[in-house]
């Protein structure tokens, strides 16, 4: 695996591959890699000749400075996992390389409604930061394909909008969520949980499955209330949201309709760690 810390040599290598007719698959990450990230790498390896991963803990997308400071870093293990997975290239830029003009940005992405709900509501400015870094990385790399995880479903919708709004000719692949055997969605943030909390945390998946199982025969308000009790009773200290939404627009649904592509989403805190998950219902 070739590791690049600077943009210029990375661009030269990409140009070389492209002039040989090779397609580039891109997997952006913030490191502390786990099998979820590696499933994106595998998907890229399947679809493209060259797979490029990036590791960049993007300060622009953290609305909570403490969350940024506590974000796990495990670069040596990350490199080991990427090499083991046969990743071709890794881009490991500094903050200055990505934001030479500093962190504050004059550009405002027109995300509209998508930015006012769920993650957008609870993490103001988060998706602006996500768009900024992904737009910058796409501009540098110009990949054929981009691989994102369904785990961050709203992020996928935001990036889909970014690709459309800026007519970026990169194909988006949304890769299913990789889970622990307990059902807990794999996440770099799980590293901050005690063994006990990690066990309890699988209740989010149970609650989403409960919603899925009963969605056709129980009012959504009742389902959300039950899911909330399940998560609270398991020991979560705070729940930001449990919502049942249109899987395309993320507008909340009031009632079940078998013709609607529907998704249940949740965000909750345990041991001060904020976990998110989602499940497609039909
Ligand atoms: P992150 O490093 O958390 O920014 O995640 C980088 C990419 O990996 C994003 O596209 C995530 O959605 C994806 N990802 C994170 N966790 C998982 C998971 N458990 N399964 C599949 N993809 C994931």
């Amino acid at each position: 695996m070739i590791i690049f810390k600077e943009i210029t040599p990375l661009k030269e290598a990409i140009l070389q591959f492209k002039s040989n007719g090779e397609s580039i698959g891109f997997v952006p990450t913030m490191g502390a890699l786990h099998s979820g990230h590696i499933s994106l790498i595998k998907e890229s390896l399947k679809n493209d000749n060259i797979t490029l991963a990036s590791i960049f803990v993007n300060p622009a997308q953290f609305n909570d400075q403490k969350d940024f400071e506590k974000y796990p870093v495990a670069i040596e293990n990350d490199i080991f996992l990427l090499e083991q997975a046969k990743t071709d290239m890794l881009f490991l830029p500094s903050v200055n390389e990505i934001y030479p003009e500093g962190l504050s940005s004059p550009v405002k992405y027109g995300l509209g409604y998508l930015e006012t709900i769920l993650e957008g509501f609870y993490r103001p400015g988060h998706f602006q930061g996500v768009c900024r870094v992904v737009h910058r990385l796409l501009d540098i790399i110009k990949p054929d394909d981009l691989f994102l995880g369904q785990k961050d479903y709203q992020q996928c919708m935001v990036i889909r909008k970014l690709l459309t709004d800026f007519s970026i000719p990169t194909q988006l692949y949304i890769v299913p969520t990789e889970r622990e055997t307990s059902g807990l969605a794999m996440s770099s943030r799980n590293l901050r949980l005690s063994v006990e909390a990690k066990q309890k945390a699988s209740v989010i998946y149970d609650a989403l499955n409960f919603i899925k199982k009963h969605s056709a025969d129980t009012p959504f308000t009742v389902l959300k209330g039950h899911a909330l009790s399940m998560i609270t009773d398991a020991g979560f200290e705070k729940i930001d949201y449990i919502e049942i939404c249109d899987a395309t627009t993320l507008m909340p649904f009031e009632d079940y309709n078998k013709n609607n592509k529907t998704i249940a989403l949740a965000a909750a805190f345990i041991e001060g760690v904020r976990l998110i998950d989602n499940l497609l219902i039909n």
Side-chain angles (χ1 to χ4, degrees), residues 27-40 54 56 61 71 147-153 155-156 173 175-180 184-190:
V27 179
T29 83
M30 297 206 297
L33 303 183
H34 48 69
S35 308
H37 297 109
I38 300 304
S39 69
L40 306 190
S54 67
F56 179 65
Q61 73 184 65
Y71 201 83
F147 298 86
L148 300 177
Q150 189 198 315
K151 155 124 190 314
D152 298 280
Y153 190 83
Q155 172 168 278
C156 295
Y173 288 76
V175 181
T177 303
E178 207 64 27
R179 300 181 179 280
E180 308 282 353
L184 173 66
M186 289 186 177
S187 164
S188 306
R189 287 190 166 85
N190 295 351

Side-chain angles (χ1 to χ4, degrees), residues 108-115 127-128 131 158 161-162 165:
K108 173 108 173 76
Y109 291 90
L111 299 173
Y113 171 74
L114 258 185
E115 196 180 21
F127 287 127
Q128 290 295 322
C131 280
V158 164
K161 182 161 169 50
L162 177 82
D165 289 356

Side-chain angles (χ1 to χ4, degrees), residues 131-146:
C131 280
R132 196 169 165 213
V133 76
V134 173
H135 199 181
R136 173 91 169 114
L137 290 167
L138 291 177
D139 197 43
I140 295 165
I141 296 159
K142 301 192 170 40
D144 297 275
D145 298 326
L146 171 67

Side-chain angles (χ1 to χ4, degrees), residues 151-170:
K151 155 124 190 314
D152 298 280
Y153 190 83
Q154 193 173 2
Q155 172 168 278
C156 295
M157 298 300 108
V158 164
I159 299 303
R160 173 168 284 163
K161 182 161 169 50
L162 177 82
L163 295 175
T164 307
D165 289 356
F166 287 83
S167 307
I168 299 170
T170 294

